[in-house]
Amino acid sequence: MSNLNLTLKIWRQRNANDSGKLVTYKVNNISTHASFLEMLDILNEDLVKKGEDPVAFAHDCREGICGSCGCYINGRAHGPEGGTATCQLHMRKFKDGDTITVEPWRAKAFPVIKDLVVDRSALDRILQKGGYVSVNTGAAPDANEILVPKPVADEAFTGAACIGCGACVAACPNASAMLFTAAKISQLALLPQGKPERYRRVEDMIAQMEDEGFGNCTNVGACSLECPKQIGQNHIARLNREYILAKTFNPPKSNEVEVI
Amino acid sequence: MNWFARTFNYSIGRKIIMALTGLFLVFFLIEHVFGNLLLFANDGGAAFNEYSHDMSHNTIIRIVEYLLFAGIIFHFVDGFILWSKNRSARPIRYQMSKPHEKTKWTSRNMIWSGSVILIFLVIHLKSFFVPYRITDGMDGKTLFEITRDAFANPYYSAFYVFAMILLGLHLNHGFSSAFQTLGLRHPNFYSGIKILGVILSLVISLGFASMPIYFYLQTIMN
Ligand code: HEM
Ligand code: SF4
Ligand code: FES
């Protein structure tokens, strides 16, 4: 395969207070076997040689499992390919002479730290409100002690696949974190281990999601289409259902119990 | 905060209100479009006038009417509140943004189709509901004659048809979206809901749009 000569327009922003702008760079002789992040590595080597500040971008595993990476590439979260994270995007998806625009995730809840790196701790704070099950430590329980039907386990797993990359927020026209939050709530609501905290979880996580300044869901579906794990809208429906159930059937707290 | 405020202050709570009011409005529209088909009865409006008279003198219908006005108000007020929250959730926009080709235009523009419907509703109520029911400003004409005369005006009829196209687009997404919002989604029936939504949006928008077209054509042919 031939090598590519490309024009890059990359968002450069020194820090959270800088206003930032798109800066144009040329990269030449990029192998079509390179990954998108390797292409940025090559650009950065060039910049370092010239004594310029390299482009900051987030990455870790580079195999689509950690959720660290994420850029808005040519107007799409994680680039033009579906079902992949930015690190799994390859340069063979581009043509010689292409201009590629690279921007950070945009959301009020995701402030830019530097260049293409945004602060996604808002997602962590949503998780801290209930994206877990409380268990006693001690000897490991027997694996098959609690039975889980296969279809339930499968459905829960499609939600558990979320890697927390934030592409759903980036792709959503409303910068909503519904798909991320739904993936956690839905997964744990399905499994017996998650049931005891089910109602408290949905109320607390949704309250946190709202407080972080994410938008709300208008059922556009862009999130599922851009999600590297292809997490479906059915999880958002389950989140909505859990919310309604929690609001109608959650047993009253001790201070709310009716006195006969 | 009490239960009600806690539940419906959140965006998800507001969306539940939008879905419930939206579905309620859809059921009203189905009744309304089939009732209005009496305009085509070719009897000088006798059946239509009688139907309108019965509707406006039925106690149950009058109670539902108040619910309907409350529903419309809750629906569009919550619509604007959610929309403005969503705008502020992304203060810095993308320089280059290409919506995924599989997302629907209708779903991304509910606020605009809704706003046209709102403007339409004000004009619509002013030309028919207000003179008929509130101010008694009919000048001795029947409701049928008022309708016929209003649609003789090409600009009025054109706007009417335009608003009905946008209503169709609003419902094309809105009907199934409301089921999703209420958590009523299962592979067994959700594709059926989607098809039903498309059918209903077509029946309602084409049904209403046919009325100004019919009366306008009648005027230019006479
Ligand atoms: C007779 C008229 C109307 C009907 C039958 C109707 C019906 C619906 C339905 C069924 C939904 C879906 C709810 C959901 O997604 O859960 C919806 C959503 C919406 N409607 Fe209406 N609507 C009407 C008028 C209006 C008006 C006047 C506005 C004013 C701006 C409006 C604005 C919206 C917006 C912004 C949404 C999207 C809400 C969201 O997804 O968060 N609609 N409508
Ligand atoms: S739901 Fe998908 S897009 Fe959103 S954070 Fe999880 S993996 Fe990323
Ligand atoms: S770097 Fe780990 S998912 Fe991309």
Side-chain angles (χ1 to χ4, degrees):
Chain A
M1 280 194 198
S2 63
N3 287 358
L4 309 175
N5 297 328
L6 302 163
T7 306
L8 302 173
K9 287 185 175 172
I10 300 185
W11 186 261
R12 301 303 310 261
Q13 180 174 342
R14 262 189 296 272
N15 53 47
N17 302 322
D18 185 18
S19 56
K21 60 174 190 301
L22 285 178
V23 177
T24 306
Y25 299 98
K26 297 258 183 217
V27 283
N28 293 328
N29 212 17
I30 299 290
S31 159
T32 47
H33 298 297
S35 75
F36 190 80
L37 296 186
E38 283 164 345
M39 184 274 294
L40 290 181
D41 291 337
I42 294 169
L43 168 71
N44 277 346
E45 279 173 18
D46 267 7
L47 291 177
V48 170
K49 269 187 217 145
K50 286 192 228 156
E52 288 176 38
D53 194 20
V55 179
F57 60 91
H59 62 106
D60 188 18
C61 70
R62 297 211 179 193
E63 56 179 10
I65 55 170
C66 74
S68 305
C69 63
C71 301
Y72 214 70
I73 301 163
N74 274 350
R76 297 272 297 273
H78 289 310
E81 204 179 5
T84 55
T86 300
C87 57
Q88 296 166 291
L89 177 65
H90 280 81
M91 295 315 293
R92 58 176 173 268
K93 296 282 161 189
F94 297 92
K95 289 194 301 292
D96 191 36
D98 273 0
T99 300
I100 309 175
T101 307
V102 194
E103 296 175 77
W105 289 167
R106 292 285 185 207
K108 187 166 90 186
F110 285 173
V112 173
I113 299 172
K114 187 176 184 204
D115 298 337
L116 303 172
V117 182
V118 299
D119 179 357
R120 281 170 292 182
S121 53
L123 297 183
D124 300 340
R125 287 188 293 273
I126 295 176
L127 275 189
Q128 282 157 11
K129 290 289 172 176
Y132 53 79
V133 293
S134 305
V135 290
N136 290 325
T137 52
D142 188 31
N144 289 329
E145 193 176 83
I146 304 171
L147 297 178
V148 183
K150 178 78 165 77
V152 174
D154 286 349
E155 173 84 354
F157 193 75
T158 61
C162 170
I163 55 176
C165 62
C168 43
V169 178
C172 175
N174 314 318
S176 166
M178 276 290 263
L179 190 64
F180 168 83
T181 311
K184 316 295 172 189
I185 289 174
S186 161
Q187 173 215 149
L188 295 173
L190 282 161
L191 296 173
Q193 292 86 343
K195 291 237 156 70
E197 292 163 294
R198 162 181 191 193
Y199 296 140
R200 183 193 65 71
R201 173 182 304 117
V202 65
E203 296 205 45
D204 292 353
M205 287 180 80
I206 281 172
Q208 189 65 31
M209 179 173 83
E210 186 98 11
D211 292 346
E212 294 290 350
F214 290 107
N216 49 78
C217 179
T218 53
N219 303 333
V220 171
C223 50
S224 294
L225 293 165
E226 304 289 13
C227 170
K229 302 297 151 187
Q230 298 179 312
I231 294 172
Q233 296 286 297
N234 50 329
H235 290 287
I236 296 184
R238 189 170 292 104
L239 165 91
N240 289 330
R241 200 150 67 228
E242 288 293 311
Y243 185 78
I244 294 171
L245 290 176
K247 291 296 182 186
T248 31
F249 297 118
N250 197 1
K253 302 190 182 74
S254 54
N255 62 344
E256 294 171 351
V257 174
E258 283 173 276
V259 184
I260 309 156
Chain B
M1 265 193 288
N2 64 11
W3 176 87
F4 192 83
R6 259 188 291 126
T7 304
F8 295 109
N9 243 335
Y10 285 126
S11 302
I12 297 198
R14 285 191 195 279
K15 281 238 34 187
I16 291 169
I17 302 244
M18 289 214 72
L20 292 174
T21 52
L23 287 180
F24 180 49
L25 293 174
V26 172
F27 286 111
F28 159 72
L29 288 181
I30 296 170
E31 187 282 326
H32 195 27
V33 77
F34 281 105
N36 281 14
L37 288 180
L38 290 174
L39 283 169
F40 298 139
N42 217 355
D43 56 0
F48 178 74
N49 286 332
E50 192 190 317
Y51 157 79
S52 315
H53 180 268
D54 289 351
M55 289 296 271
S56 54
H57 289 77
N58 180 320
T59 320
I60 295 172
I61 299 287
R62 307 230 27 186
I63 295 169
V64 174
E65 202 172 84
Y66 284 109
L67 287 177
L68 201 63
F69 280 114
I72 292 175
I73 291 168
F74 271 103
H75 187 83
F76 77 75
V77 168
D78 267 346
F80 283 122
I81 292 174
L82 291 173
W83 174 74
S84 78
K85 281 190 173 193
N86 285 343
R87 298 271 311 171
S88 59
R90 179 166 290 136
I92 303 172
R93 323 234 113 216
Y94 291 107
Q95 309 263 326
M96 181 175 185
S97 190
K98 262 198 241 151
H100 195 288
E101 58 276 7
K102 282 195 193 144
T103 60
K104 289 187 296 170
W105 183 91
T106 48
S107 69
R108 283 182 275 109
N109 293 285
M110 289 299 271
I111 192 69
W112 306 120
S113 52
S115 298
V116 172
I117 302 169
L118 185 60
I119 296 168
F120 165 82
L121 272 177
V122 173
I123 296 173
H124 176 68
L125 290 175
K126 197 169 162 296
S127 25
F128 304 117
F129 186 81
V130 172
Y132 188 53
R133 298 285 301 284
I134 301 177
T135 57
D136 216 1
M138 308 282 286
D139 296 335
K141 288 195 221 165
T142 65
L143 191 59
F144 177 83
E145 287 159 348
I146 293 250
T147 312
R148 189 193 56 198
D149 296 352
F151 289 149
N153 178 340
Y155 298 108
Y156 191 89
S157 288
F159 174 67
Y160 211 96
V161 172
F162 172 68
M164 287 309 109
I165 292 171
L166 286 169
L167 175 64
L169 296 174
H170 197 78
L171 293 183
N172 188 293
H173 171 71
F175 187 76
S176 58
S177 174
F179 284 81
Q180 163 84 2
T181 301
L182 297 173
L184 300 172
R185 179 190 185 120
H186 190 282
N188 286 349
F189 62 77
Y190 196 63
S191 50
I193 297 281
K194 281 192 170 166
I195 294 169
L196 186 62
V198 174
I199 294 174
L200 281 178
S201 68
L202 283 173
V203 168
I204 291 173
S205 59
L206 295 180
F208 280 125
S210 66
M211 291 154 197
I213 294 173
Y214 170 81
F215 282 107
Y216 180 65
L217 289 181
Q218 233 183 22
T219 340
I220 51 173
M221 289 208 307
N222 288 338

